Amino acid sequence: MNQDLSWQEKSYAIVTTEDGSPSLHWNPGQGAVGELMHHRGGALSETEQIYGKVINQALSLGMTSFLSVGLGLGYNELVVAREISRKIKSRGNCDGAEGFRVLSYEADSFLVKKFIDFVRGRSDSHVHSQILQQLAPGEESAVLDVLRNLYLNENWKINGALNATTLPAEPYQVILYDAFSSKTNPELWSEDFLLGFLQKGAAPNAFFSTYACTGVLKRSLKSLGFEVQLREGFQGKRNSTLGIR
Ligand SMILES: C[S@@+](CC[C@H](N)C(=O)[O-])C[C@H]1O[C@@H](n2cnc3c(N)ncnc32)[C@H](O)[C@@H]1O
């Protein structure tokens, strides 16, 4: 499907999930456990269920700042841009994406470069084009315009790996926590880390959404004043977590 061999060179295999949308399987080799970035049942469907609904709800409440942990293939960033684009269109004015802020974290600079090149029109990455077409049919250029404008105006920033030394400098109203699982990425799911991250990164009124559901996560959210809602997991997976404060 994809002629771009750079994915393979970087230990990624492109996998078509059951709703037809692509995901990446990361396989570092040498006995290390790899991980598929999305549910096999549907990368796009999972994104819409776990993150898309919250993004839409937050925008309808007037929220304007988004923090995405784990850029990956950029599904969450594209959904944020799609929803901002629809909001701008419904307002019918010319303010564009001004006033919105997005911060993404991604440990793998290869994934960042691939996505930025695509957004800036510097490459025609097949996999990203396919995601955009499936996620926003007929709205592709409007969605890319939003992301490009945010990027060029420095209202969308991309940091490297999230860890205790790279916590966000400002708080955000919507947190999309899509890091690899605690098996692959134990630090990001530890109580100490989550508390420090939320204290710095979450605005007084905020949503925190993730596919995961762990006791440590629920405890951390509750101790910082979040109401914790357990949502049905995607396609029978265990519950996913939504924190609201
Ligand atoms: C489940 S995938 C994210 C999928 C992504 N949200 C998407 O829409 O395609 C997890 C991502 O987190 C990245 N990652 C791993 N450790 C990280 C860290 N400490 N900080 C930021 N990103 C990290 C991985 O490289 C991978 O791209």
Side-chain angles (χ1 to χ4, degrees):
M1 164 187 128
N2 195 297
Q3 298 306 311
D4 181 349
L5 295 177
S6 60
W7 295 103
Q8 278 162 258
E9 284 158 17
K10 295 287 177 183
S11 310
Y12 292 109
I14 298 173
V15 174
T16 301
T17 62
E18 282 163 26
D19 65 1
S21 61
S23 182
L24 287 183
H25 191 276
W26 174 64
N27 188 355
Q30 294 172 339
V33 187
E35 192 159 329
L36 186 64
M37 289 196 182
H38 304 91
H39 195 291
R40 276 191 192 280
L44 176 56
S45 314
E46 182 186 28
T47 300
E48 299 285 17
Q49 182 177 318
I50 307 291
Y51 304 104
K53 286 184 190 167
V54 179
I55 294 165
N56 180 282
Q57 193 184 349
L59 280 166
S60 67
L61 290 170
M63 292 182 171
T64 54
S65 57
F66 299 84
L67 196 169
S68 160
V69 178
L71 170 84
L73 281 170
Y75 274 92
N76 286 337
E77 284 71 7
L78 289 168
V79 171
V80 167
R82 180 191 70 194
E83 296 302 315
I84 291 176
S85 154
R86 289 179 183 168
K87 175 136 188 149
I88 294 169
K89 201 169 165 197
S90 74
R91 284 197 307 226
N93 61 26
C94 306
D95 288 349
E98 277 159 40
F100 293 99
R101 275 190 305 131
V102 183
L103 173 64
S104 305
Y105 281 90
E106 173 53 58
D108 188 345
S109 57
F110 168 77
L111 296 176
V112 174
K113 182 169 182 335
K114 278 277 188 199
F115 191 65
I116 293 291
D117 282 351
F118 170 69
V119 169
R120 301 193 69 187
R122 294 181 171 178
S123 85
D124 55 357
S125 163
H126 178 85
V127 70
H128 291 111
S129 303
Q130 189 188 344
I131 293 170
L132 181 58
Q133 264 166 27
Q134 290 178 338
L135 180 146
E139 300 169 273
E140 292 93 335
S141 46
V143 172
L144 279 187
D145 278 352
V146 166
L147 265 187
R148 207 176 296 125
N149 286 340
L150 288 169
Y151 181 76
L152 295 175
N153 293 325
E154 297 188 11
N155 288 322
W156 171 35
K157 296 193 181 128
I158 307 181
N159 288 351
L162 175 63
N163 59 47
T165 68
T166 61
L167 295 175
E170 299 166 327
Y172 289 78
Q173 293 159 313
V174 185
I175 299 177
L176 311 167
Y177 206 74
D178 202 18
F180 274 143
S181 67
S182 53
K183 209 161 73 180
T184 309
N185 229 333
E187 184 191 359
L188 296 196
W189 299 96
S190 72
E191 188 156 2
D192 273 359
F193 178 80
L194 282 166
L195 289 174
F197 169 75
L198 289 166
Q199 274 159 351
K200 284 205 87 173
N205 296 318
F207 287 107
F208 176 100
S209 187
T210 182
Y211 67 90
C213 178
T214 69
V216 165
L217 174 63
K218 285 185 276 182
R219 205 163 51 236
S220 306
L221 286 166
K222 281 183 188 163
S223 76
L224 293 174
F226 282 84
E227 178 204 321
V228 174
Q229 289 185 3
L230 297 188
R231 299 168 301 186
E232 201 184 314
F234 180 68
Q235 287 201 359
K237 209 164 151 180
R238 66 201 161 95
N239 288 339
S240 67
T241 309
L242 175 63
I244 305 174
R245 179 168 73 178

